């Protein structure tokens, strides 16, 4: 059992997030052949209940009832089977499963995850939850960075797709994000807006927009490494960093 604050410190992320009560426990098993090839690998990890905080004073604490990961290397498939990646906190609940596979030589990899029948919290505690019938995550990466090819959320009132890349040469030490959404209740869209992303505008819109329909949204964000460093210095972003086109009625 290890406190999350110690994990963040070891990973060099203590300035980004931490917790006073969350701990991580479980087991990891690794078997190596005489030539150092991996013969067996499995991990079963889970947290207790607690709250996660970030460095942003305007972001509320993130409630965590349970976060868990169960995975196992399957040599016959040449892949790590992610049997369950689970999160429950507040009124949000989801579980994903899939596989992490090598993608050629040179340390490149591909990740595919999918889940069904998830629930996302409302914009406030007074708003109803939103049902997600399907979640899809597709990503690839390696020494040159990470590209999330697709994050898709689908449900009766949800139609959202996102892609992003970071740490690659084309990202110039930063990240690029593209997001599309259509025909969603405004309150649902606000609920899907993460607390840690521009929390002050999110809070303003959450309190100002009580109803309506988001007919379309196209968002493109391009941040260089210097842009991101400037955010931590509370500097403004250049105008060309964000392009947004939306329609609401």
């Amino acid at each position: 059992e290890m406190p999350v604050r110690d994990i963040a410190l070891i990973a060099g992320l203590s300035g980004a997030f931490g917790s006073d009560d969350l701990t991580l426990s479980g087991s990891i098993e690794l078997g190596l052949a005489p030539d150092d090839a991996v013969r067996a690998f499995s991990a079963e990890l889970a947290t207790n209940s607690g709250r996660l905080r970030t460095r942003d004073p305007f972001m509320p604490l993130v409630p965590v009832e349970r976060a868990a990961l169960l995975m196992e290397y399957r040599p016959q498939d040449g892949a790590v089977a992610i049997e369950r990646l689970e999160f429950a906190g507040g009124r949000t609940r989801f579980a994903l499963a899939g596989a992490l596979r090598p993608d050629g030589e040179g340390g490149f990899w591909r990740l595919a995850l999918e889940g069904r029948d998830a629930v996302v919290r409302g914009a406030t505690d007074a708003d109803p939850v939103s049902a997600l019938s399907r979640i899809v995550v597709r990503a690839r990466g390696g020494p040159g960075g990470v590209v999330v090819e697709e994050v898709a959320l689908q449900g009766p009132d949800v139609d959202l797709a996102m892609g992003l890349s970071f740490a690659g040469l084309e990202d110039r030490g930063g990240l690029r994000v593209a997001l599309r959404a259509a025909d969603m209740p405004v309150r649902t869209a606000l609920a899907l807006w993460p607390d840690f992303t521009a929390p002050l505008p999110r809070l303003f819109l959450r309190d100002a927009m009580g109803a309506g329909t988001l007919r379309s949204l196209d968002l493109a964000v391009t941040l260089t490494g210097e842009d991101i460093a400037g955010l931590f210095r509370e500097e403004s972003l250049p105008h060309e960093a964000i392009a947004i086109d939306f329609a609401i009625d």
Side-chain angles (χ1 to χ4, degrees), residues 43-204:
E44 186 172 0
L45 304 170
T47 68
N48 64 337
S49 62
R51 295 181 297 178
L52 191 68
R53 55 175 168 76
T54 71
R55 63 181 294 171
D56 193 327
F58 297 102
M59 178 178 165
L61 297 174
V62 179
V64 178
E65 296 173 21
R66 174 179 168 83
L69 173 65
L70 177 62
M71 60 184 182
E72 179 182 16
Y73 175 60
R74 296 179 177 171
Q76 68 274 21
D77 299 326
V80 175
I82 301 173
E83 299 177 10
R84 190 169 184 85
L85 175 60
E86 175 187 356
F87 177 83
R91 295 186 295 162
T92 297
R93 283 164 171 71
F94 65 82
L96 305 176
L100 176 67
R101 302 177 182 277
D103 187 21
E105 302 293 333
F108 292 93
W109 50 266
R110 281 191 172 273
L111 173 69
L113 296 170
E114 188 166 333
R116 296 184 181 275
D117 301 325
V119 177
V120 178
R121 54 92 194 258
T124 68
D125 290 341
D127 289 284
V129 298
S130 296
L132 298 180
S133 55
R134 187 168 182 249
I135 302 174
V136 175
V137 179
R138 301 279 186 268
R140 57 181 170 85
V146 175
V147 176
V148 180
E149 297 172 330
E150 178 185 20
V151 175
L153 306 179
Q154 299 170 353
D157 294 318
V158 178
D159 180 10
L160 183 147
M162 181 182 72
L164 64 91
S165 66
F166 57 92
L169 292 176
E170 295 181 357
D171 303 319
R172 294 184 293 166
L175 64 86
R176 292 177 294 165
V177 180
L179 183 146
R180 178 199 59 80
D183 297 325
M184 294 168 53
V186 166
R187 301 299 292 177
T188 299
L190 290 170
L192 294 172
W193 185 336
D195 290 334
F196 57 82
T197 305
L200 288 181
R202 177 187 179 276
L203 288 173
F204 171 79

Side-chain angles (χ1 to χ4, degrees), residues 171-175 223-231 233:
D171 303 319
R172 294 184 293 166
L175 64 86
L223 300 180
T224 66
E226 181 56 32
D227 292 335
I228 295 174
L231 287 175
R233 297 191 298 265

Side-chain angles (χ1 to χ4, degrees), residues 2-49:
M2 190 172 187
V4 167
R5 64 173 177 269
D6 292 348
I7 297 173
L9 181 63
I10 293 171
L13 299 173
S14 58
F17 72 91
S19 175
D20 295 325
D21 49 13
L22 274 176
T23 60
L24 182 68
S25 60
S27 62
I28 298 175
E29 297 182 4
L30 177 64
L32 298 177
D35 60 355
D36 292 333
V38 176
R39 280 186 172 176
F41 169 76
S42 63
E44 186 172 0
L45 304 170
T47 68
N48 64 337
S49 62

